[in-house]
Amino acid sequence: MTYPTARKVIIDTDPGQDDAVAILLALASPEEIDLLGITCVAGNVPLSRTEANARIICEVAGRNDVKVFAGRAAPLSRALVTAEQVHGKTGLDGPELFEPAILLQPQNGVDFIIDTLRTEAPGTVTLCPLGPLSNIAAAFQAAPDIIERVQEIVLMGGAYFEVGNITPAAEFNIYVDPEAADIVLKSGIKITMMPLDVTHKALTTRPRIEALRALNNRAGPFTAEMLDFFERFDMAKYGSDGGPLHDPCVIAYLIQPELFAGRHINVEVETRSELTLGMTVADWWGVTDRAANALFMADIDADGFFTLITQRLARL
Ligand code: RIB
Ligand code: CA
């Protein structure tokens, strides 16, 4: 069943435990999200794992009907950089994994994005990238006519005051494919960004994880086991009392935008300097005359965010 209030959405993703929670939240929210498909990209782990992980997550949600596509196995023009140190070798370390029954769609994810944007009415499809922007940029390069048909891009990526997580200057999703990020940021499409500045305020504290573990279904305990593993890397790195739950911020924004606050500013990305490659240069104080091109989020109601996730995942 689709609801008249629901947005048509394509999630582009590199699961990744936090991506997985974002997918579960989307699947649990049909009133707000009509999920047209999930396109997978290489990022946290290679494409062969990200597409398998996306299918696993749909099965954990009891949604073997969801269309899952494999897109690009590498950035547009650079070698792939992965993050097994954060997510584990499978990309979904923590819970016991399994071979999903859901089959991968035969169509390439980039072609699915192009075909969907050409088929759906202009301005009715929102793209939600949760990983490197390689699939999105490749679709725009192959079919420039689809750019003006996109309703909005709500993405997880970038950092400014929070600085980088994969280098001192860059956030992982942007760093892996800075050329792709440059194409997206210069596309002219309405963009909402969830950078580390906001995601680092959404920490998986112990009570928040235990609330998920206590859910009387498969998704709750599975999610708690994913987060038990996922949080350890950032807790050791930052000395924080939880790990930042990055990607679900994108989906929560579609459901409850009032949980977030930010500024509409100019954001550009470094694509040449070795030292600061992938850095998102956010003109937060308006010191340039560069046109604003993104709503750059900086604050979140973290309790409201985790309450939303727990209440919605309880539905699965
Ligand atoms: O920097 C955090 C981002 O990189 C998240 O999307 C996480 O899943 C990884 O892809
Ligand atoms: Ca991700």
Side-chain angles (χ1 to χ4, degrees):
M1 175 184 179
T2 55
Y3 292 75
T5 54
R7 270 200 211 214
K8 292 188 174 88
V9 170
I10 294 174
I11 290 177
D12 189 74
T13 179
D14 64 334
Q17 292 87 350
D18 60 319
D19 302 68
V21 180
I23 293 167
L24 291 172
L25 180 58
L27 293 174
S29 306
E31 302 93 328
E32 297 89 1
I33 295 167
D34 175 8
L35 186 60
L36 302 181
I38 296 175
T39 53
C40 301
V41 67
N44 286 321
V45 285
L47 180 63
S48 59
R49 278 307 322 163
T50 59
E51 63 88 355
N53 291 342
R55 290 185 288 132
I56 287 171
I57 286 303
C58 290
E59 199 150 320
V60 166
R63 290 294 306 277
N64 289 22
D65 61 300
V66 176
K67 290 182 181 174
V68 179
F69 302 81
R72 289 187 61 88
L76 295 182
S77 55
R78 292 176 182 272
L80 177 63
V81 172
T82 54
E84 286 88 349
Q85 71 279 13
V86 179
H87 300 274
K89 186 151 181 53
T90 69
L92 222 48
D93 280 25
E96 187 176 337
L97 302 182
F98 54 89
E99 184 56 38
I102 304 177
L103 298 178
L104 188 66
Q105 293 293 315
Q107 185 181 30
N108 182 283
V110 175
D111 294 331
F112 172 74
I113 292 169
I114 294 169
D115 289 354
T116 302
L117 282 163
R118 284 177 170 163
T119 306
E120 298 293 341
T124 63
V125 176
T126 294
L127 302 179
C128 292
L130 310 179
L133 292 161
S134 313
N135 286 343
I136 308 301
F140 292 175
Q141 286 182 319
D145 60 288
I146 67 173
I147 294 173
E148 63 182 12
R149 299 176 70 91
V150 178
Q151 177 179 26
E152 180 177 8
I153 293 176
V154 186
L155 67 88
M156 191 278 143
Y160 191 58
F161 295 105
E162 195 64 17
V163 297
N165 59 359
I166 188 72
T167 75
E171 178 278 324
F172 178 79
N173 288 342
I174 307 301
Y175 178 75
V176 170
D177 201 338
E179 285 77 13
D182 193 44
I183 288 168
V184 170
L185 286 169
K186 290 176 177 170
S187 67
I189 295 170
K190 181 183 178 185
I191 295 173
T192 299
M193 291 178 76
M194 294 290 169
L196 298 181
D197 302 62
V198 68
T199 67
H200 278 195
K201 296 175 181 175
L203 299 181
T204 61
T205 59
R206 194 45 41 192
R208 289 167 175 168
I209 292 180
E210 292 316 315
L212 288 160
R213 197 184 320 276
L215 294 181
N216 184 26
N217 62 9
R218 187 179 187 187
F222 191 92
T223 297
E225 289 162 15
M226 286 196 292
L227 299 182
D228 285 342
F229 181 88
F230 170 73
E231 69 173 10
R232 89 221 175 283
F233 182 86
D234 284 302
M235 288 176 74
K237 175 177 175 182
Y238 296 108
S240 53
D241 63 356
L245 200 52
H246 308 286
D247 294 335
C249 290
V250 168
I251 303 304
Y253 177 74
L254 298 183
I255 301 167
Q256 268 187 269
E258 64 274 15
L259 290 173
F260 300 90
R263 259 185 215 177
H264 192 233
I265 59 172
N266 177 268
V267 182
E268 301 202 6
V269 57
E270 177 58 63
T271 58
R272 288 179 298 224
S273 156
E274 280 306 307
L275 181 62
T276 58
L277 184 71
M279 179 177 181
T280 47
V281 181
D283 188 5
W284 184 262
W285 302 113
V287 297
T288 76
D289 58 1
R290 296 197 289 259
N293 60 337
L295 177 56
F296 194 84
M297 291 303 187
D299 284 301
I300 183 174
D301 169 358
D303 285 335
F305 173 67
F306 281 93
T307 298
L308 174 68
I309 290 173
T310 306
Q311 286 177 345
R312 290 296 171 100
L313 265 57
R315 294 175 165 188
L316 295 173

